[in-house]
Amino acid sequence: MLIAPDKGTESATEPEPGTFDAALVVVHGMGDAYKSQILLEWAEPILERMDWIARDRVIGADERHGVTIHDSDLSGDVPMVTATVRFPKRRDPNAPDAPDTPVETVERKVAILEARWSESFVPMTRAQVFRWAVPFMWRAITRSLGLFLGTMVLLPWMTLVHHLTAPRERLLVKVMPRTINVIIDSIRLVVSTAAFIVTWVFLVLVGVILTPILPLLSPLLLIPWFKDIAQAVLDGLVESIGDVASWKERPVRASAMRLVVRDALARAKELVGDGDVHLFAHSQGAAVATFTLFEELDPAEFHVRRLTTVGAAVVLLGRESWQGRKDAYTPVQTWIDRNRDAAPKDRVAWENHWAIWDPFSAGPIADTSAAARKRWRAAYFPSADTVADGPEEHAVHNTSQPFLDHGMYFANTVQVVEPTARHLLGPDFPNVPRPVDYIRNRLVVIDKKSLGLSTIAAVVIAAITPGLPAASVAFAWLITAVATAIGSVIAFFTAADAETSVTAAVGAVSFLVTDGRLSAIGWVVASALLLALLVWLNQLMQKQTERSIVWDRCPLDVRTWLVVTAIPRALYVLVAALVVWFALLSWTTPRPGAGWMVFWAAVLVIVAGFVILEPRFAPAPVIVPAHPSPERATVLPPAEPMRLGVAIASDEYRSELAARRANLQPEGLWAAWWAKHFHHWSPDATGTSTPGR
């Protein structure tokens, strides 16, 4: 809960220079962002998470701690939010354990500023943008297919090879014979490869269709009827990618973008004095910020200590292009050179977050394709062979949906927002034990994978169910019944003839029903409505499971969480398998015999079982350390991979879970669990029920 105990502290007053400990400059991505949009998009989740972790009883916090917002200036020349964060100071691990030692409170002032260039230059024309869009589209499609090839084909193959050669104690399913691991990995490889082929065909077809269409869109707007239909859509498309075209094709306008970033950094440096400035950039903003910071500015002059890029289009967009000139752009090597020449305190730590289905970032940042491939492999199976130059890489799971991943980093609390908040709070903030941190990240991965698989199951259910004979009759009856009810209501309120009104209402939906069954159009409409319902329910359940990981002060123990959260996924998958089985029985001519139906039932049960278990046993990415490290000259060997069973059995996890349960009410865990999950209320340490923080 964000608190502001002093009356009037939210009023917009001019912050005093040099009074802040840290400032975060957020840079927006592609698209026409309005003033304070990117600021609110990131400041709200960051401050909310800061408040939650600063008030955590496990680190010794109490009601004195948390976030106090002072100013929310959302309409000034440089929109910013300022706040003070109070939290218990991290204990020295080497100090003797003294329970009666009073908690030392740290007070840290933070400013979050926005860098926005949307109004800094005249945009390119529609015709210019669409001509540029064709080669850019193919480059984006090519990079996306490369990422999907790795995620959908190479990763399952690498997992299969790893399980064939790894010692038994390193296997995820170590209690089962190695053959079971091989079968699971083989099914994953076959299914994922088939899905990649479908994805490849779809994206290439989209590219082939759009290649001749895009250059013609601007001239077609001269046709009045086409302009009436398409102008709003095309203007929105130009607003989305117009800044990208300006960055690549218009050096003067690209310079205007960089000037906005530089001015925001100068303002941040003024606010912090000798404090730290952090630069945070998304999408195209990452390309602009990286070039500005390392190619044009001296980071030490602006006190920039950390660069965080999310969904970064650094490799996709590179730098601006001049006619007849080919400038090599090696952002990683430039970063390394800058750090090598800087004093240790002035070196810039670079942290990059990329979602595994984000088509724009398309994996780690590197100067060469070979280095990018090595660092991608290091995210799953680190070894001495995967060491390559690059920033610290975080492969994250936002939504597990390719068309949504790029724009949802701000909603990824555990993997993106919280690390950013902890960096701003500085080294005095208590650390999370490695096993506990691993468990939270692993559960997020399982949760997001479950969301994606349940969505696929929902598509299968919605596409097939209305076409089954019995379901088709039931849907047709439901449509007719609803139309009849609507006609009756209309007749009641308008005093019209009831029979005439009902006949008219039923006739209005007659195109959906034919001979007591759904027509082809009715099938499509019913599938769309059913899909919307299933996706909504899926997302509703996923929000509850995510909340139990992210916001519950006393979460369920891991094994209970795995069982409880698998139930919705199992229901979706089993219903999808049942629907497919009935479709085979109903649509196959001649009707298959009992033997074939038993065979297909066995196949569907195996596939369903694999899909239900896959999120639990699929490989999860790890953090790839920066190389070379800004903090050390020597290269450390890869850390020993953590496994979920080992983390659950660790003393650190057991101690934290015990500490969280110790803060619960005497009435027991069941009452607390019920209150949190069904009433969204959580008991605090004082014994009163307050909204979950």
Side-chain angles (χ1 to χ4, degrees):
M1 180 174 63
L2 307 186
I3 59 173
D6 300 324
K7 184 177 180 180
T9 55
E10 297 89 347
S11 60
T13 57
E14 185 69 19
E16 296 183 13
T19 59
F20 291 87
D21 300 292
L24 178 70
V25 176
V26 291
V27 188
H28 73 86
M30 65 179 69
D32 185 18
Y34 55 81
K35 180 173 287 189
S36 76
Q37 178 181 350
I38 187 67
L39 177 65
L40 291 173
E41 187 173 276
W42 285 103
E44 289 180 336
I46 288 174
L47 291 174
E48 185 176 31
R49 193 59 181 175
M50 273 187 183
D51 185 74
W52 194 92
I53 60 178
R55 295 169 64 86
D56 197 349
R57 301 296 193 268
V58 169
I59 65 173
D62 55 34
E63 294 302 324
R64 298 172 297 164
H65 302 114
V67 171
T68 300
I69 296 177
H70 297 299
D71 294 320
S72 295
D73 184 3
L74 305 180
S75 58
D77 293 337
V78 180
M80 75 173 71
V81 176
T82 60
T84 297
V85 190
R86 298 176 184 86
F87 56 86
K89 185 176 182 179
R90 181 169 64 94
R91 290 177 57 87
D92 183 355
N94 298 319
D97 188 13
D100 297 331
T101 303
V103 174
E104 181 180 351
T105 295
V106 176
E107 187 173 289
R108 193 166 173 86
K109 297 190 70 175
V110 177
I112 305 178
L113 301 79
E114 176 183 82
R116 185 181 68 99
W117 59 72
S118 297
E119 299 169 0
S120 300
F121 53 86
V122 177
M124 295 170 62
T125 66
R126 293 192 198 95
Q128 291 170 332
V129 171
F130 287 135
R131 282 197 300 269
W132 166 86
V134 173
F136 172 76
M137 175 190 67
W138 279 109
R139 177 167 167 76
I141 288 176
T142 302
R143 284 176 51 80
S144 299
L145 289 175
L147 176 66
F148 297 162
L149 174 66
T151 304
M152 303 172 74
V153 180
L154 298 182
L155 179 58
W157 170 253
M158 291 164 56
T159 305
L160 173 61
V161 172
H162 174 73
H163 287 169
L164 286 172
T165 57
R168 176 176 293 278
E169 61 271 12
R170 297 285 298 277
L171 297 179
L172 285 172
V173 199
K174 63 180 181 179
V175 297
M176 299 182 184
R178 190 182 297 270
T179 306
I180 300 298
N181 286 276
V182 173
I183 292 174
I184 293 175
D185 294 337
S186 299
I187 295 174
R188 180 189 295 117
L189 178 60
V190 171
V191 173
S192 299
T193 301
F196 171 74
I197 293 173
V198 174
T199 303
W200 187 94
V201 172
F202 172 77
L203 289 179
V204 171
L205 282 177
V206 169
V208 170
I209 293 171
L210 291 180
T211 295
I213 292 177
L214 284 176
L216 298 176
L217 289 177
S218 186
L220 286 174
L221 288 177
L222 297 174
I223 304 174
W225 65 267
F226 183 80
K227 180 178 180 180
D228 294 339
I229 296 174
Q231 182 168 1
V233 175
L234 297 182
D235 286 346
L237 180 61
V238 170
E239 289 179 356
S240 297
I241 64 174
D243 287 355
V244 181
S246 297
W247 169 254
K248 289 296 296 179
E249 300 295 322
R250 298 293 185 268
V252 173
R253 301 178 214 202
S255 178
M257 297 182 194
R258 299 195 294 271
L259 179 62
V260 170
V261 176
R262 186 182 70 187
D263 289 346
L265 289 175
R267 178 63 173 139
K269 195 266 182 184
E270 178 186 347
L271 292 173
V272 301
D274 294 329
D276 297 337
V277 174
H278 296 203
L279 183 57
F280 186 99
H282 173 242
S283 188
Q284 179 191 352
V288 176
T290 302
F291 188 93
T292 304
L293 185 64
F294 297 134
E295 299 286 345
E296 294 187 338
L297 304 179
D298 177 7
E301 180 182 343
F302 293 86
H303 287 197
V304 178
R305 304 290 184 251
R306 177 172 294 275
L307 169 65
T308 301
T309 50
V310 296
V314 173
V315 178
L316 176 64
L317 299 181
R319 59 173 297 167
E320 83 278 22
S321 300
W322 292 79
Q323 292 291 339
R325 184 167 125 187
K326 293 185 177 180
D327 294 313
Y329 183 49
T330 54
V332 171
Q333 188 59 50
T334 305
W335 165 66
I336 293 172
D337 293 342
R338 283 298 185 98
N339 279 344
R340 184 180 58 240
D341 298 336
K345 69 180 183 64
D346 293 330
R347 292 172 183 165
V348 179
W350 186 359
E351 187 175 280
N352 181 53
H353 299 257
W354 53 276
I356 64 166
W357 296 105
D358 184 349
F360 293 99
S361 59
I365 295 174
D367 289 342
T368 65
S369 298
R373 286 193 294 270
K374 283 186 176 182
R375 293 185 69 75
W376 179 85
R377 287 170 51 204
Y380 293 96
F381 299 104
S383 69
D385 296 332
T386 60
V387 175
D389 290 343
E392 181 175 293
E393 296 287 355
H394 296 246
V396 301
H397 290 68
N398 290 341
T399 64
S400 290
Q401 299 177 45
F403 300 107
L404 297 178
D405 253 8
H406 183 67
M408 296 300 291
Y409 287 91
F410 67 90
N412 191 334
T413 303
V414 170
Q415 296 180 316
V416 179
V417 174
E418 183 170 324
T420 304
R422 288 179 176 276
H423 290 317
L424 287 172
L425 294 178
D428 286 335
F429 194 81
N431 295 326
V432 178
R434 183 175 175 234
V436 176
D437 188 55
Y438 173 83
I439 287 172
R440 288 197 307 158
N441 276 276
R442 187 60 192 272
L443 295 188
V444 166
V445 172
I446 293 172
D447 189 48
K448 295 303 171 62
K449 282 180 173 289
S450 297
L451 173 65
L453 291 173
S454 297
T455 301
I456 295 173
V459 171
V460 173
I461 295 170
I464 296 176
T465 299
L468 298 176
S472 181
V473 172
F475 275 107
W477 175 86
L478 180 62
I479 291 172
T480 304
V482 171
T484 301
I486 292 174
S488 300
V489 171
I490 293 174
F492 177 80
F493 285 102
T494 61
D497 180 67
E499 183 176 354
T500 303
S501 182
V502 168
T503 302
V506 172
V509 297
S510 60
F511 67 99
L512 300 176
V513 179
T514 302
D515 297 328
R517 302 166 63 95
L518 290 177
S519 64
I521 297 177
W523 186 345
V524 172
V525 172
S527 292
L529 295 175
L530 182 58
L531 178 61
L533 175 63
L534 292 173
V535 168
W536 175 74
L537 290 173
N538 186 33
Q539 292 178 341
L540 187 66
M541 291 184 289
Q542 190 271 334
K543 286 185 182 298
Q544 295 301 317
T545 58
E546 182 181 33
R547 177 184 174 85
S548 68
I549 304 170
V550 178
W551 298 110
D552 282 354
R553 292 292 187 188
C554 183
L556 296 171
D557 67 89
V558 174
R559 290 189 172 89
T560 303
W561 185 92
L562 290 172
V563 173
V564 171
T565 58
I567 294 173
R569 179 173 73 251
L571 288 175
Y572 270 68
V573 172
L574 291 175
V575 171
L578 189 64
V579 165
V580 171
W581 189 83
F582 275 113
L584 291 171
L585 182 65
S586 303
W587 297 346
T588 304
T589 305
R591 187 168 184 168
W596 275 109
M597 294 313 300
V598 171
F599 168 77
W600 284 116
V603 169
L604 290 171
V605 168
I606 292 173
V607 173
F610 163 76
V611 174
I612 293 170
L613 296 175
E614 203 273 344
R616 166 64 181 88
F617 299 109
V622 298
I623 297 174
V624 181
H627 185 270
S629 170
E631 290 82 19
R632 61 179 69 91
T634 57
V635 179
L636 298 178
E640 180 69 17
M642 180 75 70
R643 290 185 293 107
L644 192 56
V646 173
I648 294 172
S650 67
D651 292 337
E652 293 90 341
Y653 170 69
R654 292 174 180 270
S655 297
E656 169 146 324
L657 186 61
R660 293 192 179 282
R661 289 180 172 177
N663 287 320
L664 289 177
Q665 288 289 313
E667 61 264 22
L669 295 177
W670 171 253
W673 183 86
W674 177 270
K676 287 185 292 183
H677 288 275
F678 290 88
H679 300 291
H680 305 298
W681 287 70
S682 59
D684 64 15
T686 64
T688 58
S689 291
T690 55
R693 291 189 289 266

